[in-house]
Amino acid sequence: QIDKYLYDMRLSEETLQEVSQRFRREMEKGLGADTNPTASVKMLPTFVRSTPDGTEDGDFLALDLGGTNFRVLRVKVSDNGLQKVEMENQIYAIPEELMRGSGVQLFDHIAECLANFMEKLKIKDKKLPLGFTFSFPCHQTKLDESILVTWTKGFKCSSVEGKDVVSMLRKSIKKRGDFDIDIVAVVNDTVGTMMTCGYDDHNCEVGLIVGTGTNACYMEEMRHIGLVEGDEGRMCINMEWGAFGDDGVLNDIRTEFDREIDMGSLNPGKQLFEKMISGMYMGELVRLILVKMAKEGLLFGGKLTPDLLTTGHFETRYVSAIEKEKEGLQKAHEILTKLGLEPSHEDCVATHRICQIVSTRSANLCGATLAAVLRRIKENKGLDRLRSTVGVDGSVYKKHPHFARRLHKTVRKLLPDCEIRFVRSEDGSGKGAAMVTAVAYRLAAQHKARQKILEALKLSHEQLLEVKQRMRMEMEKGLGKETHTEATVKMLPTYVCSTPDGTEKGDFLALDLGGTNFRVLLVRVRNGMRRGVEMHNKIYSIPVEIMQGTGEELFDHIVHCISDFLEYMGMKGVSLPLGFTFSFPCQQNNLDEGILLKWTKGFKATGCEGEDVVNLLKEAIHRREEFDLDVVAVVNDTVGTMMTCGYEDPYCEVGLIVGTGSNACYMEEMRNVELVEGEEGRMCVNMEWGAFGDNGCLDDIRTEFDLAVDELSLNPGKQRFEKMISGMYLGEIVRNILMDFTKQGLLFRGRISERLKTRGIFETKFLSQIESIIVKEVCTVVARRAAQLCGAGMAAVVDKIRENRGLDFLKITVGVDGTLYKLHPQAGTFSPRQVKSASLPSPPVPYSFSTVMHETVKQLSPKCEVTFLQSEDGSGKGAALITAVACRIREAGQ
């Protein structure tokens, strides 16, 4: 009979799923910057960005103001592997007249009680950090700034609404002058609940309160929070979910009793969800049902008493008592009798069932909204199964005999794919506030320690100028005949004496050998109206046994590939000029003569070192007796880069590569190239600048991390400049810094994973998976330094060219190639896959390697206007263009 009467209060699983989905939509409204103003579920950012990790440590104070009493606590947190928390607290009353007086009086009173507490504990001389639980609706703008929206719970102090409560408290303390504290955080009690549990269970990312009122909070991804700048990491959201339904979305499941309760409340039309659930209204709902049924003659023989008719006389604790397993019916009899009724056994059974239906509905609704929150967390993390913990507090959850069990059951029914633990929170508003403060303190201390370590990688304008000056000195040494042998920056003559002038034409072959793959290209250069370059190419692999066999085998294989290519292009028997990009250390004695100094990159073919590679190639062509080629030029890929851009832009006289390795070349006056006879004109110099610093001239800016990377490399002590700027090593520098952070407990909770110990992990996509601001920050600093150093080197080059020509102002273009320069992000993250390195800029400035490098050159060489042009295929097209220029000059000479 009762079940039929209260049919609308018994919610089916479908209805609960529907409520859960509606709530999910309300959450999204509250999170969006545009939809938030009209959303009923406010989803307030709390500026709490992390839950405890167990390493928190120190002495903290907490203030808890949320009712007619307030508490002051001292919380000692120690991390000696045992994670223990010691607390002392004192309760102070707030006299009635203060609750209605001025705000200044209220905060002066709080400051006085605080002084009294510190006096008692003899800690007045210490400046302790304090967390302030202020359980009123607030608009938070920072962790330590909270604007009171409206007073509730009987408070009516003047001139506090619309003001920051922290600064009011600070003023009151300062006015006294007998103690000083550091107010670190303002905390909502829901957040405190989550944090208290989070200290014991690191999976805890939701806080729930079901007591007099109800509310929840959870950790949301920053990228979804429209009201706060930044996309990195997470932040706790205080949902203020009691207001769910204030816009009418629950009207179809609200009953006449819910409407009656709302009409008689202090805030009609507000907090409608809370009024269906929380302890403040549960007893009242039961009373209204009893009254209506008695009026209809269905209970108590139709008899009503003044007590039963008085609002608030059926207390929520009665509901808990009546639902107890054993003595429930007897309790019902006692309570009804106390209300002046003469209940029959049936009346007691009926009352018991009514209590059950009301409290079950409350637990079910609460479970439906909680399931929505957990599902959102699961989707945010992209998991198939979520394991999470909910910290819970509140009298209804803790004291009602079946509420907790029913709530858990609903959540499990609605979320079969999640494992959810529920933990009862102990003193969220006291200990929780101290926890928030402890975490904030830990994060601040860690941030400071990290900045200190990263300081060594941040270069000042003066330091960069110094690097530019030193590069200039090393360049002079490399060019000078006397000093060349001991110079580290070798400044090798390339015998390329001119950049393209646009009149080049003809068909050219190019070979590109610089790794395990080898390319043959046909490059058609046209001039006049149809000026342009058309290319065909084919890639051949070089088997390991050939890379490590004899020189004859290697060059025979190369000639075999050329033969295959000519046949493929239908050009068998044509004799073409050929340019050979040979990206190994060579000493050039002429444009078409390059002596291999030593193999690198895994090549070990015998009988080649010390030999002229053009000769080795010519001999192999003769052995095959199939075609003849005119080998015009041996080319370094940096020079090729300059030449490709030179074809597009006559101002291009510098080539730069920043990829796996780094190098530069530029047009130097012949009179300065002492290693080559002749004073007239210019010659391109291949700087081999990666070795800058190998004589120790950069030691004052190299960090411990650079030293570590160098020690573990294949060529310790060599190519020191390259190791600070090129893609091959940036990821390693980052890894070493992260290892250091971790050893000092500043990252990954102080645990070094095997992955982190592995050299070269940044070649994988490891980076994109760490959603860590810290890792990004490190990458930004490392990549920024690389770009600045590269810029300082470039500045030395362009200023030398300017001075060579006696100009006050130089307009020049630099041809650039290399993965680091091209792929380093405009605004987002590196893809280490492409770049074998790790770099991510900080959110506010979308900046990239190229941008920073350009800026640096501008600052260090203000008298040069430098344009950077990305090169296309310097090692293929570039080699052909060098050949084309050489042929043009040769023909002109003839």
Side-chain angles (χ1 to χ4, degrees):
Q1 187 202 5
I2 301 274
D3 287 14
K4 215 145 124 202
Y5 194 83
L6 294 180
Y7 176 78
D8 289 342
M9 280 197 143
R10 298 170 60 225
L11 306 174
S12 66
E13 196 178 323
E14 291 75 53
T15 306
L16 293 174
Q17 282 290 13
E18 172 62 25
V19 169
S20 196
Q21 266 148 10
R22 286 182 201 174
F23 186 65
R24 182 62 194 273
R25 288 196 288 272
E26 294 298 308
M27 285 169 72
E28 275 158 21
K29 273 190 210 161
L31 286 170
D34 303 335
T35 43
N36 175 278
T38 55
S40 52
V41 179
K42 279 297 175 204
M43 305 294 280
L44 306 171
T46 64
F47 297 85
V48 169
R49 295 169 190 268
S50 169
T51 51
D53 70 358
T55 63
E56 285 73 23
D57 204 16
D59 225 347
F60 304 95
L61 290 171
L63 270 185
D64 175 15
L65 175 65
T68 44
N69 289 333
F70 81 97
R71 287 186 306 155
V72 185
L73 304 90
R74 178 217 199 158
V75 182
K76 262 196 170 125
V77 185
S78 53
D79 169 36
N80 42 16
L82 296 169
Q83 282 192 27
K84 56 186 220 308
V85 179
E86 301 167 49
M87 304 206 309
E88 297 154 90
N89 72 64
Q90 172 86 34
I91 295 180
Y92 296 92
I94 296 179
E96 191 84 13
E97 62 272 14
L98 275 183
M99 288 170 70
R100 292 180 178 50
S102 76
V104 174
Q105 288 172 319
L106 175 70
F107 285 102
D108 284 353
H109 175 65
I110 293 173
E112 185 172 346
C113 299
L114 202 52
N116 165 284
F117 180 75
M118 292 174 79
E119 185 86 56
K120 254 180 28 195
L121 291 181
K122 312 239 181 305
I123 50 175
K124 242 182 165 175
D125 52 334
K126 288 191 188 158
K127 182 177 180 175
L128 294 180
L130 175 135
F132 183 11
T133 299
F134 188 72
S135 305
F136 298 93
C138 278
H139 169 62
Q140 218 161 335
T141 42
K142 299 206 281 269
L143 187 58
D144 64 347
E145 183 175 276
S146 202
I147 315 290
L148 175 66
V149 179
T150 49
W151 282 116
T152 54
K153 309 180 203 183
F155 276 77
K156 276 276 181 287
C157 301
S158 59
S159 54
V160 183
E161 293 181 341
K163 291 221 178 77
D164 168 27
V165 295
V166 176
S167 54
M168 292 193 75
L169 179 57
R170 281 187 183 136
K171 273 190 195 126
S172 291
I173 291 170
K174 201 168 175 191
K175 192 160 61 183
R176 296 180 58 87
D178 59 342
F179 69 96
D180 194 13
I181 53 169
D182 178 12
I183 306 173
V184 174
V186 191
V187 186
N188 172 286
D189 51 355
T190 328
V191 182
T193 298
M194 176 186 80
M195 295 296 265
T196 321
C197 294
Y199 185 65
D200 303 309
D201 179 336
H202 301 322
N203 276 333
C204 182
E205 42 197 349
V206 182
L208 167 67
I209 291 184
V210 200
T212 315
T214 180
N215 192 11
C217 70
Y218 73 104
M219 296 301 288
E220 175 59 89
E221 305 297 315
M222 277 291 286
R223 62 176 185 274
H224 298 319
I225 305 173
L227 300 172
V228 183
E229 286 295 300
D231 284 340
E232 294 309 321
R234 304 163 77 195
M235 182 181 285
C236 179
I237 291 289
N238 162 20
M239 304 177 73
E240 291 295 342
W241 82 5
F244 177 35
D246 288 9
D247 55 359
V249 294
L250 293 178
N251 288 354
D252 55 340
I253 63 163
R254 288 175 65 231
T255 64
E256 52 178 306
F257 307 111
D258 296 307
R259 284 191 277 279
E260 198 175 334
I261 266 203
D262 180 45
M263 312 270 239
S265 67
L266 291 171
N267 53 351
K270 297 265 182 286
Q271 300 292 94
L272 298 184
F273 183 64
E274 180 168 82
K275 286 171 187 164
M276 296 169 83
I277 287 183
S278 78
M280 190 156 172
Y281 307 99
M282 203 183 281
E284 187 60 13
L285 271 172
V286 172
R287 186 186 72 79
L288 292 174
I289 294 166
L290 292 176
V291 168
K292 182 162 197 260
M293 289 183 78
K295 276 184 179 160
E296 291 175 18
L298 300 171
L299 282 178
F300 317 128
K303 183 168 172 283
L304 287 160
T305 65
D307 263 330
L308 186 61
L309 287 166
T310 310
T311 306
H313 269 212
F314 195 99
E315 297 174 38
T316 295
R317 59 192 176 93
Y318 295 169
V319 180
S320 296
I322 291 171
E323 282 194 65
K324 283 220 174 77
E325 283 306 331
K326 304 264 188 308
E327 69 267 32
L329 288 177
Q330 183 202 333
K331 280 281 180 220
H333 196 276
E334 282 173 29
I335 288 160
L336 294 169
T337 308
K338 206 165 90 183
L339 293 170
L341 295 158
E342 293 166 14
S344 66
H345 177 67
E346 284 70 33
D347 289 338
C348 294
V349 172
T351 304
H352 175 265
R353 181 66 184 137
I354 292 165
C355 289
Q356 210 172 28
I357 287 172
V358 169
S359 68
T360 301
R361 181 183 74 152
S362 167
N364 284 342
L365 285 171
C366 204
T369 47
L370 185 57
V373 175
L374 291 160
R375 170 143 288 145
R376 180 164 178 96
I377 293 174
K378 174 176 173 281
E379 285 170 19
N380 279 346
K381 293 186 174 184
L383 297 172
D384 293 333
R385 261 195 103 66
L386 174 70
R387 296 182 54 186
S388 191
T389 301
V390 180
V392 202
D393 203 348
S395 48
V396 173
Y397 183 86
K398 288 185 168 173
K399 297 198 172 129
H400 186 285
H402 309 296
F403 185 92
R405 187 177 49 77
R406 289 177 193 150
L407 171 73
H408 304 169
K409 192 174 151 190
T410 306
V411 171
R412 294 202 176 107
K413 210 156 51 187
L414 297 179
L415 285 180
D417 49 0
C418 296
E419 289 169 50
I420 308 301
R421 249 188 97 205
F422 290 85
V423 176
R424 292 165 66 124
S425 149
E426 294 312 318
D427 189 18
S429 47
K431 182 171 150 190
M435 274 295 130
V436 173
T437 309
V439 169
Y441 242 58
R442 166 176 64 81
L443 293 176
Q446 289 176 336
H447 178 73
K448 211 162 135 187
R450 286 196 305 269
Q451 290 313 314
K452 202 174 151 202
I453 295 171
L454 290 177
E455 214 38 59
L457 291 135
K458 294 184 179 167
L459 301 174
S460 65
H461 181 69
E462 289 66 43
Q463 285 174 302
L464 289 168
L465 263 177
E466 184 59 35
V467 171
K468 174 189 168 185
Q469 248 73 63
R470 290 179 200 169
M471 175 68 92
R472 178 64 187 266
M473 279 159 57
E474 296 301 311
M475 286 167 73
E476 305 285 1
K477 278 189 203 162
L479 288 170
K481 205 167 194 164
E482 310 293 313
T483 45
H484 177 80
T485 38
E486 89 256 16
T488 50
V489 178
K490 280 295 175 206
M491 306 295 285
L492 306 171
T494 65
Y495 296 86
V496 169
C497 297
S498 170
T499 52
D501 69 358
T503 65
E504 292 76 17
K505 62 174 191 290
D507 288 357
F508 306 93
L509 274 183
L511 304 182
D512 175 13
L513 178 67
T516 45
N517 284 336
F518 155 68
R519 281 191 309 159
V520 186
L521 305 93
L522 172 67
V523 182
R524 297 201 150 118
V525 183
R526 307 204 197 299
N527 66 359
M529 294 293 290
R530 296 170 51 221
R531 180 171 179 268
V533 177
E534 176 195 319
M535 303 205 304
H536 306 270
N537 72 70
K538 206 167 167 189
I539 296 178
Y540 299 90
S541 69
I542 300 179
V544 176
E545 58 272 19
I546 288 183
M547 284 168 68
Q548 304 183 349
T550 69
E552 285 198 353
E553 288 169 331
L554 174 63
F555 281 91
D556 283 346
H557 177 70
I558 289 174
V559 172
H560 167 74
C561 297
I562 298 173
S563 165
D564 173 86
F565 179 75
L566 289 172
E567 195 163 332
Y568 163 75
M569 291 299 297
M571 300 184 68
K572 210 120 201 195
V574 183
S575 174
L576 292 176
L578 176 143
F580 186 6
T581 299
F582 188 74
S583 304
F584 298 92
C586 274
Q587 181 199 326
Q588 264 183 282
N589 298 332
N590 224 316
L591 185 58
D592 62 354
E593 184 187 331
I595 312 291
L596 172 64
L597 298 175
K598 64 170 194 303
W599 282 120
T600 54
K601 311 183 202 179
F603 278 75
K604 292 211 173 51
T606 56
C608 297
E609 291 182 354
E611 297 294 321
D612 171 16
V613 294
V614 175
N615 256 341
L616 295 173
L617 179 62
K618 282 181 175 164
E619 283 168 11
I621 292 173
H622 291 154
R623 278 198 295 278
R624 196 172 174 96
E625 291 185 335
E626 209 178 274
F627 52 83
D628 200 21
L629 295 171
D630 171 13
V631 184
V632 175
V634 185
V635 185
N636 172 287
D637 52 354
T638 324
V639 184
T641 297
M642 176 184 79
M643 295 298 265
T644 331
C645 292
Y647 186 71
E648 308 296 328
D649 179 343
Y651 285 103
C652 179
E653 301 186 74
V654 184
L656 167 67
I657 290 186
V658 223
T660 317
S662 179
N663 192 10
C665 69
Y666 71 101
M667 298 303 288
E668 178 56 271
E669 307 300 314
M670 275 296 286
R671 63 173 188 273
N672 295 336
V673 185
E674 294 185 7
L675 298 176
V676 181
E677 291 301 307
E679 301 282 304
E680 287 308 306
R682 297 183 182 142
M683 181 182 284
C684 177
V685 169
N686 163 18
M687 298 176 67
E688 290 294 340
W689 83 358
F692 177 38
D694 289 6
N695 57 2
C697 71
L698 292 178
D699 286 0
D700 56 339
I701 64 162
R702 288 173 77 221
T703 63
E704 51 176 312
F705 309 112
D706 296 303
L707 299 175
V709 168
D710 183 40
E711 263 166 48
L712 288 174
S713 65
L714 295 170
N715 52 351
K718 299 267 181 285
Q719 300 291 93
R720 294 182 189 178
F721 186 58
E722 177 170 86
K723 283 172 190 163
M724 295 168 84
I725 67 177
S726 80
M728 188 161 171
Y729 304 99
L730 289 195
E732 279 302 288
I733 299 174
V734 169
R735 190 179 63 85
N736 277 285
I737 296 171
L738 296 182
M739 292 262 288
D740 191 60
F741 278 6
T742 309
K743 280 179 194 146
Q744 301 196 30
L746 306 174
L747 188 59
F748 305 135
R749 293 190 187 161
R751 289 195 280 279
I752 294 191
S753 65
E754 287 310 309
R755 304 266 318 262
L756 204 52
K757 284 187 196 145
T758 321
R759 287 190 55 235
I761 50 163
F762 283 106
E763 293 176 23
T764 66
K765 61 179 189 302
F766 176 64
L767 216 91
S768 53
Q769 292 163 1
I770 300 175
E771 273 278 81
S772 160
I773 307 164
I774 297 165
V775 176
K776 292 195 169 186
E777 175 185 40
V778 174
C779 294
T780 304
V781 171
V782 170
R784 189 180 176 80
R785 181 187 70 155
Q788 287 175 324
L789 286 170
C790 197
M794 258 303 99
V797 174
V798 294
D799 261 329
K800 176 149 186 12
I801 296 174
R802 183 180 62 77
E803 288 169 28
N804 281 345
R805 301 180 190 177
L807 298 171
D808 289 332
F809 189 78
L810 171 72
K811 183 171 158 47
I812 193 164
T813 300
V814 177
V816 200
D817 202 350
T819 40
L820 193 58
Y821 183 87
K822 288 186 173 174
L823 298 175
H824 190 284
Q826 269 329 105
T829 52
F830 240 23
S831 151
R833 202 172 30 143
Q834 300 163 313
V835 192
K836 290 196 175 163
S837 165
S839 136
L840 309 139
S842 47
V845 267
Y847 99 96
S848 65
F849 187 95
S850 48
T851 322
V852 174
M853 186 179 85
H854 301 170
E855 269 308 300
T856 310
V857 176
K858 212 179 195 157
Q859 285 163 4
L860 300 180
S861 299
K863 294 182 178 173
C864 300
E865 182 191 319
V866 186
T867 309
F868 289 86
L869 190 59
Q870 284 199 18
S871 147
E872 291 313 315
D873 190 18
S875 46
K877 186 170 155 186
L881 283 169
I882 290 175
T883 309
V885 170
C887 291
R888 182 196 84 208
I889 291 170
R890 189 163 64 183
E891 281 159 23
Q894 285 166 1

PDB file of all heavy atoms in Angstrom, residues 85-100:
ATOM      1  N   VAL A  85      50.390  11.719  10.924  1.00  0.00           N
ATOM      2  CA  VAL A  85      49.838  13.049  11.089  1.00  0.00           C
ATOM      3  C   VAL A  85      49.446  13.207  12.553  1.00  0.00           C
ATOM      4  O   VAL A  85      48.689  12.403  13.084  1.00  0.00           O
ATOM      5  CB  VAL A  85      48.572  13.197  10.199  1.00  0.00           C
ATOM      6  CG1 VAL A  85      47.969  14.571  10.383  1.00  0.00           C
ATOM      7  CG2 VAL A  85      48.908  12.968   8.740  1.00  0.00           C
ATOM      8  N   GLU A  86      49.998  14.249  13.208  1.00  0.00           N
ATOM      9  CA  GLU A  86      49.586  14.500  14.606  1.00  0.00           C
ATOM     10  C   GLU A  86      48.789  15.795  14.618  1.00  0.00           C
ATOM     11  O   GLU A  86      49.151  16.749  13.943  1.00  0.00           O
ATOM     12  CB  GLU A  86      50.819  14.717  15.496  1.00  0.00           C
ATOM     13  CG  GLU A  86      51.792  13.567  15.530  1.00  0.00           C
ATOM     14  CD  GLU A  86      53.115  14.015  16.177  1.00  0.00           C
ATOM     15  OE1 GLU A  86      53.057  14.632  17.266  1.00  0.00           O
ATOM     16  OE2 GLU A  86      54.163  13.774  15.579  1.00  0.00           O
ATOM     17  N   MET A  87      47.709  15.806  15.421  1.00  0.00           N
ATOM     18  CA  MET A  87      46.869  16.998  15.443  1.00  0.00           C
ATOM     19  C   MET A  87      46.535  17.454  16.858  1.00  0.00           C
ATOM     20  O   MET A  87      46.355  16.647  17.752  1.00  0.00           O
ATOM     21  CB  MET A  87      45.547  16.728  14.712  1.00  0.00           C
ATOM     22  CG  MET A  87      45.736  16.251  13.299  1.00  0.00           C
ATOM     23  SD  MET A  87      44.335  16.636  12.267  1.00  0.00           S
ATOM     24  CE  MET A  87      42.986  16.010  13.186  1.00  0.00           C
ATOM     25  N   GLU A  88      46.474  18.773  17.017  1.00  0.00           N
ATOM     26  CA  GLU A  88      45.937  19.331  18.256  1.00  0.00           C
ATOM     27  C   GLU A  88      44.917  20.373  17.831  1.00  0.00           C
ATOM     28  O   GLU A  88      45.151  21.093  16.862  1.00  0.00           O
ATOM     29  CB  GLU A  88      47.036  20.049  19.043  1.00  0.00           C
ATOM     30  CG  GLU A  88      48.151  19.113  19.477  1.00  0.00           C
ATOM     31  CD  GLU A  88      49.469  19.848  19.655  1.00  0.00           C
ATOM     32  OE1 GLU A  88      49.714  20.318  20.773  1.00  0.00           O
ATOM     33  OE2 GLU A  88      50.221  19.950  18.671  1.00  0.00           O
ATOM     34  N   ASN A  89      43.777  20.460  18.510  1.00  0.00           N
ATOM     35  CA  ASN A  89      42.857  21.512  18.116  1.00  0.00           C
ATOM     36  C   ASN A  89      42.065  22.074  19.271  1.00  0.00           C
ATOM     37  O   ASN A  89      42.005  21.507  20.356  1.00  0.00           O
ATOM     38  CB  ASN A  89      41.952  21.053  16.974  1.00  0.00           C
ATOM     39  CG  ASN A  89      40.924  20.052  17.413  1.00  0.00           C
ATOM     40  OD1 ASN A  89      40.062  20.375  18.234  1.00  0.00           O
ATOM     41  ND2 ASN A  89      40.974  18.838  16.880  1.00  0.00           N
ATOM     42  N   GLN A  90      41.481  23.210  19.018  1.00  0.00           N
ATOM     43  CA  GLN A  90      40.735  23.937  20.044  1.00  0.00           C
ATOM     44  C   GLN A  90      39.492  24.519  19.382  1.00  0.00           C
ATOM     45  O   GLN A  90      39.581  25.043  18.273  1.00  0.00           O
ATOM     46  CB  GLN A  90      41.634  25.065  20.569  1.00  0.00           C
ATOM     47  CG  GLN A  90      40.959  26.040  21.506  1.00  0.00           C
ATOM     48  CD  GLN A  90      40.995  25.560  22.947  1.00  0.00           C
ATOM     49  OE1 GLN A  90      41.957  24.920  23.348  1.00  0.00           O
ATOM     50  NE2 GLN A  90      39.957  25.852  23.698  1.00  0.00           N
ATOM     51  N   ILE A  91      38.337  24.401  20.043  1.00  0.00           N
ATOM     52  CA  ILE A  91      37.098  24.954  19.479  1.00  0.00           C
ATOM     53  C   ILE A  91      36.775  26.279  20.153  1.00  0.00           C
ATOM     54  O   ILE A  91      36.898  26.404  21.366  1.00  0.00           O
ATOM     55  CB  ILE A  91      35.936  23.953  19.667  1.00  0.00           C
ATOM     56  CG1 ILE A  91      36.223  22.690  18.852  1.00  0.00           C
ATOM     57  CG2 ILE A  91      34.607  24.583  19.246  1.00  0.00           C
ATOM     58  CD1 ILE A  91      35.175  21.612  18.937  1.00  0.00           C
ATOM     59  N   TYR A  92      36.439  27.260  19.343  1.00  0.00           N
ATOM     60  CA  TYR A  92      36.047  28.569  19.882  1.00  0.00           C
ATOM     61  C   TYR A  92      34.633  28.887  19.405  1.00  0.00           C
ATOM     62  O   TYR A  92      34.272  28.552  18.279  1.00  0.00           O
ATOM     63  CB  TYR A  92      36.999  29.669  19.377  1.00  0.00           C
ATOM     64  CG  TYR A  92      38.423  29.501  19.853  1.00  0.00           C
ATOM     65  CD1 TYR A  92      39.354  28.802  19.091  1.00  0.00           C
ATOM     66  CD2 TYR A  92      38.840  30.035  21.069  1.00  0.00           C
ATOM     67  CE1 TYR A  92      40.661  28.647  19.518  1.00  0.00           C
ATOM     68  CE2 TYR A  92      40.144  29.880  21.523  1.00  0.00           C
ATOM     69  CZ  TYR A  92      41.055  29.192  20.739  1.00  0.00           C
ATOM     70  OH  TYR A  92      42.343  29.034  21.176  1.00  0.00           O
ATOM     71  N   ALA A  93      33.861  29.549  20.269  1.00  0.00           N
ATOM     72  CA  ALA A  93      32.487  29.902  19.874  1.00  0.00           C
ATOM     73  C   ALA A  93      32.494  31.240  19.146  1.00  0.00           C
ATOM     74  O   ALA A  93      33.391  32.061  19.357  1.00  0.00           O
ATOM     75  CB  ALA A  93      31.611  29.994  21.106  1.00  0.00           C
ATOM     76  N   ILE A  94      31.487  31.444  18.314  1.00  0.00           N
ATOM     77  CA  ILE A  94      31.300  32.765  17.715  1.00  0.00           C
ATOM     78  C   ILE A  94      29.989  33.308  18.283  1.00  0.00           C
ATOM     79  O   ILE A  94      28.920  32.785  17.986  1.00  0.00           O
ATOM     80  CB  ILE A  94      31.198  32.679  16.183  1.00  0.00           C
ATOM     81  CG1 ILE A  94      32.507  32.157  15.617  1.00  0.00           C
ATOM     82  CG2 ILE A  94      30.884  34.065  15.598  1.00  0.00           C
ATOM     83  CD1 ILE A  94      32.518  32.014  14.122  1.00  0.00           C
ATOM     84  N   PRO A  95      30.085  34.324  19.151  1.00  0.00           N
ATOM     85  CA  PRO A  95      28.873  34.857  19.775  1.00  0.00           C
ATOM     86  C   PRO A  95      27.883  35.360  18.721  1.00  0.00           C
ATOM     87  O   PRO A  95      28.299  35.853  17.669  1.00  0.00           O
ATOM     88  CB  PRO A  95      29.387  36.033  20.621  1.00  0.00           C
ATOM     89  CG  PRO A  95      30.862  35.844  20.719  1.00  0.00           C
ATOM     90  CD  PRO A  95      31.300  35.032  19.538  1.00  0.00           C
ATOM     91  N   GLU A  96      26.598  35.199  19.034  1.00  0.00           N
ATOM     92  CA  GLU A  96      25.501  35.590  18.146  1.00  0.00           C
ATOM     93  C   GLU A  96      25.695  36.996  17.577  1.00  0.00           C
ATOM     94  O   GLU A  96      25.545  37.211  16.378  1.00  0.00           O
ATOM     95  CB  GLU A  96      24.200  35.543  18.970  1.00  0.00           C
ATOM     96  CG  GLU A  96      22.936  35.666  18.163  1.00  0.00           C
ATOM     97  CD  GLU A  96      22.468  34.333  17.576  1.00  0.00           C
ATOM     98  OE1 GLU A  96      22.996  33.267  17.998  1.00  0.00           O
ATOM     99  OE2 GLU A  96      21.608  34.376  16.689  1.00  0.00           O
ATOM    100  N   GLU A  97      26.069  37.953  18.449  1.00  0.00           N
ATOM    101  CA  GLU A  97      26.147  39.350  17.967  1.00  0.00           C
ATOM    102  C   GLU A  97      27.264  39.539  16.930  1.00  0.00           C
ATOM    103  O   GLU A  97      27.179  40.387  16.044  1.00  0.00           O
ATOM    104  CB  GLU A  97      26.321  40.345  19.134  1.00  0.00           C
ATOM    105  CG  GLU A  97      27.592  40.177  19.945  1.00  0.00           C
ATOM    106  CD  GLU A  97      27.429  39.164  21.110  1.00  0.00           C
ATOM    107  OE1 GLU A  97      26.413  38.403  21.098  1.00  0.00           O
ATOM    108  OE2 GLU A  97      28.286  39.160  22.001  1.00  0.00           O
ATOM    109  N   LEU A  98      28.323  38.695  17.031  1.00  0.00           N
ATOM    110  CA  LEU A  98      29.402  38.797  16.034  1.00  0.00           C
ATOM    111  C   LEU A  98      28.955  38.285  14.670  1.00  0.00           C
ATOM    112  O   LEU A  98      29.420  38.765  13.641  1.00  0.00           O
ATOM    113  CB  LEU A  98      30.632  37.999  16.493  1.00  0.00           C
ATOM    114  CG  LEU A  98      31.611  38.714  17.427  1.00  0.00           C
ATOM    115  CD1 LEU A  98      32.806  37.832  17.728  1.00  0.00           C
ATOM    116  CD2 LEU A  98      32.082  40.033  16.826  1.00  0.00           C
ATOM    117  N   MET A  99      28.041  37.283  14.665  1.00  0.00           N
ATOM    118  CA  MET A  99      27.583  36.731  13.394  1.00  0.00           C
ATOM    119  C   MET A  99      26.789  37.758  12.602  1.00  0.00           C
ATOM    120  O   MET A  99      26.630  37.636  11.394  1.00  0.00           O
ATOM    121  CB  MET A  99      26.711  35.495  13.631  1.00  0.00           C
ATOM    122  CG  MET A  99      27.514  34.279  14.097  1.00  0.00           C
ATOM    123  SD  MET A  99      26.481  32.914  14.648  1.00  0.00           S
ATOM    124  CE  MET A  99      25.764  32.344  13.132  1.00  0.00           C
ATOM    125  N   ARG A 100      26.277  38.768  13.314  1.00  0.00           N
ATOM    126  CA  ARG A 100      25.480  39.797  12.638  1.00  0.00           C
ATOM    127  C   ARG A 100      26.134  41.174  12.675  1.00  0.00           C
ATOM    128  O   ARG A 100      25.569  42.148  12.213  1.00  0.00           O
ATOM    129  CB  ARG A 100      24.096  39.895  13.302  1.00  0.00           C
ATOM    130  CG  ARG A 100      23.263  38.650  13.056  1.00  0.00           C
ATOM    131  CD  ARG A 100      21.887  38.775  13.719  1.00  0.00           C
ATOM    132  NE  ARG A 100      21.031  37.632  13.489  1.00  0.00           N
ATOM    133  CZ  ARG A 100      21.404  36.356  13.693  1.00  0.00           C
ATOM    134  NH1 ARG A 100      22.619  36.074  14.111  1.00  0.00           N
ATOM    135  NH2 ARG A 100      20.559  35.362  13.470  1.00  0.00           N
TER     136      ARG A 100
END
